[in-house]
Amino acid sequence: MAELPRTMQVEAALERVRAAVGPQGWTSDPHDMQPSLEDWRGQFQGRARMLVRPAETREVAEVVAACAAAGIPITPQGGNTGMCGGATPPRDSDGIVLSLARMNRIRAIDATNFTMTVEAGCVLQRIQEAALEVDRYFPLSLSAQGSCMIGGNLSTNAGGTGVLRYGNARELALGLEVVLPDGRTLDGLTALRKDNTGYDLKHLFVGAEGTLGIITAAVLKLFPRPRAIHTAWCAVPDVASALDLLARARAESGDAVETFELVSRAVVDLVLTHIPGTADPLEKRYAHYVLLELVSSASADDGLGQRFQQLLEEAFAAGLVIDAVVAQSDRHRGAIWALRENASEAEKLEGASIKHDVSVPVSAIPSFWDAAWQAVRSVAPDARLAAFGHAGDGNLHYNVIQPAGGDRAAFLAQREAINRAVHDAVHRHDGSISAEHGIGRLKRDELRRYKSPVAMDVMHTLKAALDPDGIMNRGALL
Ligand code: FAD
Ligand code: 2HG
Ligand code: ZN
């Protein structure tokens, strides 16, 4: 029998997609699709034939099989909060966006096994709340938690503010269910902590940014619920002192540090300017701050409060902390956290920023900080630094923002030179150009520049083996 022309193959496949998900599960209305065709930062705009929203794994499998048969590209999408444009289809795409938003069931919670089985479209905050309801804790925590989804968190291997104690998303997943690019379902929903039966396949899909398949469900690790939380907002004289404070806090608290966030004054000023209801908890202005949080899961306060107090006193005496405020209530703690949690939003409201989500060894942060800034100043003397981040993990958001009142387009025209200044400094300090946000479309060229050719080759080999026609998230990562 003669093969159907491509346009007829595509139409037949799209009809199969529509039938698989039913009328609730798709739209091609430009107005309804619009939010899915642009990223959170408004930096990427794309095109798609259809927005498809399956409600079950078998529907995802049928949609992918239909697309695979006709070579229709698929862009997977969760909460669309990603920072690198990975969930936005290409500008010239003739494919579909596949949203996991309707797959939002919590399938099971096993409090004895300390596990929860969730669908990919579960919003992170809902997972945190469901864990607390059974007196357990799911520690992945980021400012986008009210809208990002666990499938997106796993696909970007998200980090956030609890990595020091609990690891990033990769370390929180025991098993995954994945629809492969040919439409088969890989059921790896194991709740086992030990399973050495060959390659641990889940790790292929964590951090793959949707390029190797679609995560449809996951078994997550839970932890005992924190009972005592001690929070301080500390002014530090310089970045090096902050890291001395970190080392001291880890060693003297029995490694109870859950959060160690460095925030520069420039970022605090942006938050105070743009986010209503925020206030500076200290009277004087300082160059850098640390949001420090120590946590204990013991049923009574096991002396951590005392150690926390002692730690702060000793840090004052050693000149590592020059001013501080300790949270006295949940409300007070929330007000302190607001200075950190609103950093991205405040930066966005201030104007154009060139973001650098980078990591270096913790001990190299001070040297990197100065070297990178010197390099940026040499190419963009009027640019401003609004840096903050998860210093406890060696991860800085070394964001360079446009001059106050300056021209947005002129500033963004310097992107290449500014990226080179920062990323070359990262490279010289044995760091990574993407600590936690991934590569997406934003950093594809940067990845090629800094990743070893052998590593790139292995990644291309894996991609070709699993997705030979390249339908999964075309244009992202590789
Ligand atoms: P999306 O943006 O929808 O997608 C991200 C990528 O994953 C895309 O490549 C997409 O194709 C792919 N994808 C999504 N779902 C699936 C799936 N089910 N299967 C296969 N591929 C899929 N990130 C951090 O790591 N740490 C932070 O502290 C942090 N803070 C943030 C704060 C703010 C205010 C914002 C806006 C973002 C922040 N982010 C942070 C970035 C972002 O929230 C995370 O990357 C998050 O994990 C993305 O989840 P999402 O559901 O929005 O994914
Ligand atoms: C955070 O830590 C996020 O708040 C966002 O990773 C970082 O906006 C950024 O650059
Ligand atoms: Zn971050």
Side-chain angles (χ1 to χ4, degrees), residues 83 143 261 340 344 347 355 388-390 397 399 436-437:
M83 288 283 183
S143 307
E261 297 287 317
R340 168 62 185 88
S344 301
E347 251 182 38
K355 287 187 183 288
F388 60 99
H390 322 286
H397 300 305
N399 299 338
E436 58 171 8
H437 295 164

Side-chain angles (χ1 to χ4, degrees), residues 56-140:
E56 309 269 352
T57 301
R58 61 183 167 75
E59 292 182 10
V60 177
E62 175 66 5
V63 168
V64 175
C67 290
I72 299 173
I74 300 172
T75 305
Q77 194 172 91
N80 199 16
T81 67
M83 288 283 183
C84 300
T88 311
R91 272 183 192 283
D92 56 353
S93 176
D94 63 351
I96 63 164
V97 172
L98 192 151
S99 162
L100 280 299
R102 286 176 73 219
M103 291 195 55
N104 59 5
R105 279 161 295 235
I106 292 179
R107 290 190 189 165
I109 303 185
D110 184 341
T112 307
N113 198 41
F114 282 74
T115 50
M116 188 189 303
T117 308
V118 297
E119 293 184 345
C122 278
V123 169
L124 175 56
Q125 192 169 318
R126 163 104 178 78
I127 294 174
Q128 296 165 342
E129 287 164 0
L132 289 176
E133 280 162 23
V134 294
D135 203 29
R136 297 288 178 263
Y137 183 55
F138 184 62
L140 186 65

Side-chain angles (χ1 to χ4, degrees), residues 245-473:
L245 174 65
L246 168 67
R248 208 179 257 255
R250 289 193 67 182
E252 290 178 16
S253 68
D255 223 358
V257 181
E258 175 155 337
T259 297
F260 194 93
E261 297 287 317
L262 184 62
V263 187
S264 64
R265 179 70 213 188
V267 173
V268 172
D269 282 338
L270 294 182
V271 172
L272 296 177
T273 304
H274 294 291
I275 309 294
T278 53
D280 190 338
L282 298 173
E283 269 176 29
K284 289 199 196 143
R285 292 168 63 86
Y286 300 95
H288 302 283
Y289 303 87
V290 165
L291 173 50
L292 170 68
E293 201 148 85
L294 265 53
V295 168
S296 164
S297 305
S299 49
D301 190 348
D302 55 357
L304 187 65
Q306 233 177 348
R307 292 207 294 284
F308 180 64
Q309 202 58 43
Q310 198 177 337
L311 169 76
L312 290 179
E313 281 167 17
E314 286 172 7
F316 262 106
L320 300 179
V321 171
I322 45 180
D323 201 353
V325 58
V326 171
Q328 302 297 333
S329 63
D330 283 352
R331 201 187 152 100
H332 194 193
R333 176 176 176 241
I336 290 173
W337 266 95
L339 297 172
R340 168 62 185 88
E341 276 176 337
N342 287 297
S344 301
E345 182 66 22
E347 251 182 38
K348 189 175 165 194
L349 293 169
E350 177 72 4
S353 65
I354 300 176
K355 287 187 183 288
H356 303 100
D357 162 39
V358 303
S359 63
V360 293
V362 169
S363 49
I365 288 181
S367 159
F368 161 75
W369 187 292
D370 292 342
W373 191 230
Q374 216 179 342
V376 170
R377 292 302 291 262
S378 71
V379 295
D382 298 331
R384 292 178 289 162
L385 179 61
F388 60 99
H390 322 286
D393 317 325
N395 177 188
L396 294 176
H397 300 305
Y398 200 83
N399 299 338
V400 180
I401 62 174
Q402 69 175 81
D407 180 62
R408 183 184 177 94
F411 170 70
L412 288 175
Q414 297 170 297
R415 183 193 292 275
E416 170 64 23
I418 292 176
N419 280 347
R420 207 54 51 240
V422 176
H423 289 162
D424 280 355
V426 167
H427 194 60
R428 285 197 305 278
H429 287 82
D430 299 323
S432 165
I433 59 148
S434 177
E436 58 171 8
H437 295 164
I439 299 297
R441 289 167 216 290
L442 182 69
K443 293 190 182 172
R444 240 177 23 165
D445 296 340
E446 296 296 287
L447 181 71
R448 278 190 215 128
R449 180 183 283 270
Y450 295 103
K451 197 91 179 166
S452 88
V454 178
M456 289 305 294
D457 189 46
V458 173
M459 288 205 267
H460 280 289
T461 304
L462 289 169
K463 172 76 173 168
L466 284 174
D467 183 19
D469 297 325
I471 63 164
M472 290 304 309
N473 213 357

